[in-house]
Structure formats: structure tokens, C-alpha cells
Amino acid sequence: MKSKKNTTGIMSGLRPYFHPRFPAPCNLKCFFCYEEPRAPVDPTRSLLLLEEELKIGKRLGYESVVFGCGELLLLDGWERAVKLAARLGFTERILLTNLTLINEENIDTLVEAGITGIAGTLAATSDEEALRITGRPDVYSRQMRGISALASFPQLGAGLHVMLTSEAKPDPSFRLKLLLEQIPTGSRHAIVSVIEPISQSTTEHPDFLAAHEVSWPELLEQADKQDKCLVVQNVPACLLGRYAHRSLAFRKRVARTLTGWPDGESLSRRVDENEVLYSRVPAEGHCRECSAISVCHRNFKYPRVGDPSGLDVERVVEALLLEEGVEGDPARIISGLRRIAAKVAPGEGGCDEGDGS
């Protein structure tokens, strides 16, 4: 793989990221959170597990690590873990945060510890709305203070993950514009998501927005006109239409196919799990006959899908390579994508070890 440029910025380029999993504290109670209720976190045990995860990540060959479980700043001794990541050779060390704990003093400490980038998640445009979503007061105000603090650290990579809620139904473009205006340090790139239908209580929440309730091609076109490059998460490829190459799940599959898998079945399986490359939901109904299934995100059964008839896998792959400025063999990439798409769970069917390497 030869890269000419990076158009997507923090957390969204064609490079695999390692997401260490460990019991982590959080200061919010978002209605869409997929974490199971659990006992209070034991910080000593969590820190040891995090450090062990980082060592595994290096064995898997990752160069980038994202601290995305809970809120890292709430874990006693977090600096030790970040410094270990630097010593292990992770060249990119990103903090994924809800932004409520970020201030200039914290950012300075994060930079000193070795954090190279901060990606913030934003779903609301007022404290009232944020209270409904997170169950906590003053969240939006604190997030805005965090984003303002990031402006004082232009040397630190920064990005935004926007979650669209039911507030976007009247005018998704306007809603998205309001949220994107918060992107720190002038970056033009962001990840945009809808909430995954993980449970009945989630889908019945007044702020839930289903993937099929947004006209994605029009939304992404409007963002492009505003010089904002969006990567989309949790949305089936057929709903993205001509923007199917902006699917985060698809991009992760291409990145892994270009990079290759580590030697050994257990390590390859761990990569599949970490990057959620396989599909948790088997293709059913007309999806079984879809020629573009290898570029699709099928972690949940969506109530409605778009028309995939105009979705050509080769054109999707070529559009991604062109936009990213990456040289690659589309036929070889498509072969790798099809092997990944054949998987329903880790270790079941799908890619041979080292495929795409």
C-alpha cells in the first residue's frame, strides 16, 4: 500500500486502530450505551488489564491506539497506561472522550503523558437535550468548554464524532451543520453516526433516530459543499448510495485487507474482534442476493434499506482509493472484502490467515 495523502484526519483514515477493552468508569448514563450495567470499577485491576491489552495490541502489529472505553481521565493511574503505549511503540495515541472532563489543565497533562490526539463525541446542542440523552445536567456546556480548550492546543490532533438524534428529523443538514461548527482546530473531517438499535428501550427513546430516516446522499453532498468530509458509522451501505465509500465499517475492512492479518489463528481472530470486521447479522431476505454485501454494515437488522441496484463494489473501492490517495489493487481488495463479509462471528468462515498481506 502506498499512501499519497490523508484526507480523513483523526480516527478515520485507512489504517487499523487498536481499541483496548477493559472495565472503565464513565460519568454519563447515555440511553444508547451498549455497556452492560456492572459493579463499580476496581481501578487497580482495570489499569492492569489495560496495560495487558496494550501489550497484546503491539503483538497484533497496531501502530495506533484509541482509548475509548468509558472516560480514561476517571481511571486512577491513566497516565501510566498512556506512557506505556508510547514506550511500546504506538505512534498514534488517541483519546476518545465525551469532552465533559476536558480543560486546558487536563489537556496539558494529556499531552505530557503522550496523548497525540483527542476525538470528542457530541450529540446535543443544548443542556436540556443533553440531559435527556445522557441523564446528567450541564453536559453540553461542559462539552463546549472542552472544545474551546482544545483550540489552545493546535499541535494536538483533534476530531469530532457527531451522533444524530431525532432532533435532526426536520432538517438533518441544518442539524449537522450546527454540530460540525464545533469541530476544533479548523479540521474539515468528522465521523457522523446514528444510534444503533441495540434494544427496545433504545429505539423507543424520544431522541432515537433510525438510519433509514435520513437521506444520506443528500446530507453528505451538502456537507461536501460546505467543505466538510464525513465518514458515516452504523448505516447500511445501500442507504449511502454514491457515498458508500464513506462507510466507516467498509473503510475498516479495506484498511485491514491492505494491511494484512498477523500470523496465527488466535491473533487473526483477535484482530477481527477488535475491528468488528465480521457481520454479526447474517444476510437475510433481499440482502442475500445483494452484490454489494461486502461493503455493507450488518451488525443489526435494520427495518428498511435502500435500493442497492446502483451500488457497484468495484466503483465503491475505486472511489475510496481515489479519495484517500491510496494505491491498491481493487480486485485484490474486493477478494479480501468478500472473505470478510462471509464471516458471521469470529473464527467462522471468511478470511484466511494473512489474506491481503
Side-chain angles (χ1 to χ4, degrees), residues 211-222:
H212 63 277
E213 295 181 289
V214 176
S215 178
W216 292 99
E218 287 78 5
L219 183 69
L220 295 176
E221 181 179 27
Q222 287 299 317

Side-chain angles (χ1 to χ4, degrees), residues 2-8 321-326:
K2 182 179 179 182
S3 178
K4 298 178 182 176
K5 61 181 178 178
N6 172 26
T7 63
T8 52
L321 295 177
L322 178 63
E323 189 168 87
E324 283 290 321
V326 171

Side-chain angles (χ1 to χ4, degrees), residues 161 163 192-196 211 232-236 248 297 302:
H161 171 208
M163 299 196 71
V192 59
S193 303
V194 288
I195 297 164
E196 293 181 302
V232 183
Q233 184 174 235
N234 305 338
V235 176
L248 181 59
H297 177 108
Y302 291 90

